[in-house]
Amino acid sequence: MLKIGRILLPIDFQDSSKHVVHQTAALARHFHSEIVMLHVVTPLSYSAGMIGGNYVPANLGDLLQELIRQAQKQLDQALGPELDGLVVKRVLLEGDPALTIVQTARVEKAGLIAMPTHGYGAFRRFLLGSVTAKVLHDCDCPVWTGAHLEEEPAREFSIRNILCAVDLSPHSSKTVQWAAQMAAEFGAQLTLAHITAGMEIYGPGAYQVDPSWTEVLVNSAGRQLANLQQEAGTKAEVFIGSGDVPKLLSHAAKQSSADVLIIGRPSGGRLRATGYGIIRESYIPVLSV
């Protein structure tokens, strides 16, 4: 049985957080999890427009104190109706956002971190490159990232269909087991997807696909996926494609009407370059385990 006792929810008080908060609340209600709502204050918050009115700080110390005061006020008022009935611990800290998130997850023994892939406005690029990516790279626990869209679909969040990307690395067994347990928890339909490398050879005038090599790769992947399913005790649909991994996984997600995409984070939890591409291309939340 899958258990998530505590979910760390970093928030930045921007619209980009709202969908992830909604999803976190749904997960917390299902797993009876405590939510640790974290906001990290930095001097950059001033430039991002957190301080309103005509307040002009006399020095950096006064600036930080005002940032903390206003952040605490917003944190106390944040998203009350969305979190009604849930156990929520509010934490306000100063420091580097990514490092603070990772350290807080360890201190709080979080079973999951849930966060948006980016913010909007002046610091959108900063948030994508320096916070979410660093957390994905450095944290020990699974990370839930919201869909990488300007606006997510306006519909009630639920988990009815799960797509699990399998790269057939040694970490794949853990990824499939997580996906199987998640599917069992929500009574969801599970689909396993593996994308092989494009097997193209150069012929006169154009690139051509070598069908014999493609068949070998597909058959081998099918056998390995069957073994992984047997280990995990699940019987899922299988999607095998060849070519651009992020684009084909996005296609598979649409084909299977997936509500969440699960991917692996091998090599000590670090996400490979392909993993970042998958998250950027995904129109649904991605769970990196």
mmCIF file of all heavy atoms in Angstrom, residues 162-182:
data_model
loop_
_atom_site.group_PDB
_atom_site.id
_atom_site.type_symbol
_atom_site.label_atom_id
_atom_site.label_comp_id
_atom_site.label_asym_id
_atom_site.label_seq_id
_atom_site.Cartn_x
_atom_site.Cartn_y
_atom_site.Cartn_z
ATOM 1 N N ILE A 162 -3.344 6.621 -15.611
ATOM 2 C CA ILE A 162 -1.944 6.918 -15.305
ATOM 3 C C ILE A 162 -1.066 6.409 -16.442
ATOM 4 O O ILE A 162 -1.214 5.275 -16.894
ATOM 5 C CB ILE A 162 -1.504 6.254 -13.988
ATOM 6 C CG1 ILE A 162 -2.305 6.825 -12.807
ATOM 7 C CG2 ILE A 162 -0.004 6.437 -13.754
ATOM 8 C CD1 ILE A 162 -2.061 6.090 -11.496
ATOM 9 N N LEU A 163 -0.158 7.258 -16.892
ATOM 10 C CA LEU A 163 0.847 6.847 -17.866
ATOM 11 C C LEU A 163 2.190 6.788 -17.153
ATOM 12 O O LEU A 163 2.576 7.742 -16.466
ATOM 13 C CB LEU A 163 0.917 7.837 -19.024
ATOM 14 C CG LEU A 163 1.963 7.530 -20.105
ATOM 15 C CD1 LEU A 163 1.616 6.248 -20.852
ATOM 16 C CD2 LEU A 163 2.100 8.706 -21.076
ATOM 17 N N CYS A 164 2.906 5.688 -17.301
ATOM 18 C CA CYS A 164 4.211 5.520 -16.673
ATOM 19 C C CYS A 164 5.269 5.348 -17.755
ATOM 20 O O CYS A 164 5.212 4.406 -18.550
ATOM 21 C CB CYS A 164 4.201 4.304 -15.740
ATOM 22 S SG CYS A 164 5.808 3.927 -15.005
ATOM 23 N N ALA A 165 6.243 6.269 -17.792
ATOM 24 C CA ALA A 165 7.321 6.201 -18.768
ATOM 25 C C ALA A 165 8.423 5.294 -18.223
ATOM 26 O O ALA A 165 8.921 5.501 -17.117
ATOM 27 C CB ALA A 165 7.867 7.594 -19.044
ATOM 28 N N VAL A 166 8.812 4.306 -19.004
ATOM 29 C CA VAL A 166 9.795 3.312 -18.575
ATOM 30 C C VAL A 166 10.979 3.359 -19.538
ATOM 31 O O VAL A 166 10.824 3.131 -20.743
ATOM 32 C CB VAL A 166 9.191 1.893 -18.562
ATOM 33 C CG1 VAL A 166 10.189 0.889 -18.024
ATOM 34 C CG2 VAL A 166 7.900 1.873 -17.740
ATOM 35 N N ASP A 167 12.182 3.658 -18.997
ATOM 36 C CA ASP A 167 13.358 3.723 -19.871
ATOM 37 C C ASP A 167 14.180 2.431 -19.861
ATOM 38 O O ASP A 167 15.214 2.343 -20.515
ATOM 39 C CB ASP A 167 14.244 4.909 -19.480
ATOM 40 C CG ASP A 167 14.789 4.815 -18.061
ATOM 41 O OD1 ASP A 167 14.560 3.781 -17.391
ATOM 42 O OD2 ASP A 167 15.445 5.782 -17.616
ATOM 43 N N LEU A 168 13.708 1.428 -19.100
ATOM 44 C CA LEU A 168 14.351 0.117 -19.018
ATOM 45 C C LEU A 168 15.738 0.179 -18.375
ATOM 46 O O LEU A 168 16.574 -0.695 -18.592
ATOM 47 C CB LEU A 168 14.424 -0.547 -20.390
ATOM 48 C CG LEU A 168 13.068 -0.767 -21.089
ATOM 49 C CD1 LEU A 168 13.262 -1.419 -22.452
ATOM 50 C CD2 LEU A 168 12.138 -1.602 -20.216
ATOM 51 N N SER A 169 15.991 1.213 -17.569
ATOM 52 C CA SER A 169 17.211 1.292 -16.765
ATOM 53 C C SER A 169 16.995 0.479 -15.489
ATOM 54 O O SER A 169 15.872 0.022 -15.210
ATOM 55 C CB SER A 169 17.497 2.753 -16.397
ATOM 56 O OG SER A 169 16.518 3.225 -15.476
ATOM 57 N N PRO A 170 18.042 0.268 -14.670
ATOM 58 C CA PRO A 170 17.860 -0.459 -13.411
ATOM 59 C C PRO A 170 16.823 0.176 -12.482
ATOM 60 O O PRO A 170 16.241 -0.506 -11.636
ATOM 61 C CB PRO A 170 19.261 -0.413 -12.784
ATOM 62 C CG PRO A 170 20.187 -0.320 -13.946
ATOM 63 C CD PRO A 170 19.469 0.535 -14.947
ATOM 64 N N HIS A 171 16.584 1.484 -12.642
ATOM 65 C CA HIS A 171 15.608 2.187 -11.795
ATOM 66 C C HIS A 171 14.164 1.898 -12.216
ATOM 67 O O HIS A 171 13.230 2.199 -11.476
ATOM 68 C CB HIS A 171 15.870 3.696 -11.877
ATOM 69 C CG HIS A 171 15.055 4.522 -10.926
ATOM 70 N ND1 HIS A 171 15.363 4.660 -9.591
ATOM 71 C CD2 HIS A 171 13.936 5.259 -11.130
ATOM 72 C CE1 HIS A 171 14.480 5.446 -9.009
ATOM 73 N NE2 HIS A 171 13.600 5.827 -9.916
ATOM 74 N N SER A 172 13.976 1.293 -13.382
ATOM 75 C CA SER A 172 12.632 1.114 -13.940
ATOM 76 C C SER A 172 11.723 0.289 -13.033
ATOM 77 O O SER A 172 10.517 0.516 -12.976
ATOM 78 C CB SER A 172 12.706 0.461 -15.317
ATOM 79 O OG SER A 172 13.322 1.319 -16.246
ATOM 80 N N SER A 173 12.306 -0.687 -12.328
ATOM 81 C CA SER A 173 11.495 -1.527 -11.441
ATOM 82 C C SER A 173 10.796 -0.683 -10.379
ATOM 83 O O SER A 173 9.598 -0.852 -10.132
ATOM 84 C CB SER A 173 12.378 -2.591 -10.781
ATOM 85 O OG SER A 173 11.621 -3.394 -9.901
ATOM 86 N N LYS A 174 11.537 0.259 -9.771
ATOM 87 C CA LYS A 174 10.951 1.142 -8.763
ATOM 88 C C LYS A 174 9.881 2.040 -9.380
ATOM 89 O O LYS A 174 8.819 2.256 -8.789
ATOM 90 C CB LYS A 174 12.029 2.000 -8.110
ATOM 91 C CG LYS A 174 11.485 2.967 -7.067
ATOM 92 C CD LYS A 174 12.592 3.803 -6.444
ATOM 93 C CE LYS A 174 12.008 4.804 -5.448
ATOM 94 N NZ LYS A 174 13.073 5.648 -4.832
ATOM 95 N N THR A 175 10.150 2.555 -10.582
ATOM 96 C CA THR A 175 9.194 3.441 -11.253
ATOM 97 C C THR A 175 7.881 2.718 -11.518
ATOM 98 O O THR A 175 6.793 3.244 -11.241
ATOM 99 C CB THR A 175 9.781 3.957 -12.579
ATOM 100 O OG1 THR A 175 11.067 4.525 -12.350
ATOM 101 C CG2 THR A 175 8.871 5.010 -13.196
ATOM 102 N N VAL A 176 7.963 1.498 -12.041
ATOM 103 C CA VAL A 176 6.762 0.723 -12.354
ATOM 104 C C VAL A 176 6.010 0.346 -11.070
ATOM 105 O O VAL A 176 4.777 0.386 -11.028
ATOM 106 C CB VAL A 176 7.125 -0.537 -13.168
ATOM 107 C CG1 VAL A 176 5.901 -1.440 -13.354
ATOM 108 C CG2 VAL A 176 7.679 -0.138 -14.534
ATOM 109 N N GLN A 177 6.741 -0.018 -10.024
ATOM 110 C CA GLN A 177 6.086 -0.355 -8.764
ATOM 111 C C GLN A 177 5.332 0.838 -8.198
ATOM 112 O O GLN A 177 4.207 0.698 -7.696
ATOM 113 C CB GLN A 177 7.119 -0.876 -7.768
ATOM 114 C CG GLN A 177 7.637 -2.273 -8.086
ATOM 115 C CD GLN A 177 8.773 -2.698 -7.188
ATOM 116 O OE1 GLN A 177 9.095 -2.042 -6.204
ATOM 117 N NE2 GLN A 177 9.404 -3.818 -7.533
ATOM 118 N N TRP A 178 5.938 2.034 -8.267
ATOM 119 C CA TRP A 178 5.256 3.249 -7.808
ATOM 120 C C TRP A 178 3.981 3.472 -8.616
ATOM 121 O O TRP A 178 2.920 3.761 -8.060
ATOM 122 C CB TRP A 178 6.184 4.455 -7.977
ATOM 123 C CG TRP A 178 6.547 5.127 -6.681
ATOM 124 C CD1 TRP A 178 7.650 4.897 -5.921
ATOM 125 C CD2 TRP A 178 5.805 6.152 -6.007
ATOM 126 N NE1 TRP A 178 7.641 5.704 -4.820
ATOM 127 C CE2 TRP A 178 6.519 6.486 -4.847
ATOM 128 C CE3 TRP A 178 4.611 6.807 -6.283
ATOM 129 C CZ2 TRP A 178 6.083 7.453 -3.946
ATOM 130 C CZ3 TRP A 178 4.163 7.762 -5.384
ATOM 131 C CH2 TRP A 178 4.897 8.077 -4.238
ATOM 132 N N ALA A 179 4.090 3.327 -9.936
ATOM 133 C CA ALA A 179 2.932 3.548 -10.806
ATOM 134 C C ALA A 179 1.835 2.528 -10.530
ATOM 135 O O ALA A 179 0.643 2.872 -10.496
ATOM 136 C CB ALA A 179 3.368 3.486 -12.268
ATOM 137 N N ALA A 180 2.222 1.263 -10.321
ATOM 138 C CA ALA A 180 1.236 0.212 -10.042
ATOM 139 C C ALA A 180 0.519 0.481 -8.728
ATOM 140 O O ALA A 180 -0.710 0.309 -8.624
ATOM 141 C CB ALA A 180 1.929 -1.150 -10.012
ATOM 142 N N GLN A 181 1.266 0.905 -7.716
ATOM 143 C CA GLN A 181 0.646 1.207 -6.421
ATOM 144 C C GLN A 181 -0.270 2.426 -6.516
ATOM 145 O O GLN A 181 -1.346 2.452 -5.913
ATOM 146 C CB GLN A 181 1.729 1.436 -5.371
ATOM 147 C CG GLN A 181 2.511 0.187 -5.002
ATOM 148 C CD GLN A 181 3.583 0.463 -3.966
ATOM 149 O OE1 GLN A 181 3.317 0.949 -2.872
ATOM 150 N NE2 GLN A 181 4.820 0.162 -4.312
ATOM 151 N N MET A 182 0.154 3.435 -7.274
ATOM 152 C CA MET A 182 -0.693 4.618 -7.462
ATOM 153 C C MET A 182 -1.982 4.245 -8.185
ATOM 154 O O MET A 182 -3.076 4.703 -7.813
ATOM 155 C CB MET A 182 0.078 5.686 -8.249
ATOM 156 C CG MET A 182 -0.676 6.981 -8.472
ATOM 157 S SD MET A 182 -0.823 8.007 -6.994
ATOM 158 C CE MET A 182 0.753 8.847 -7.025
#
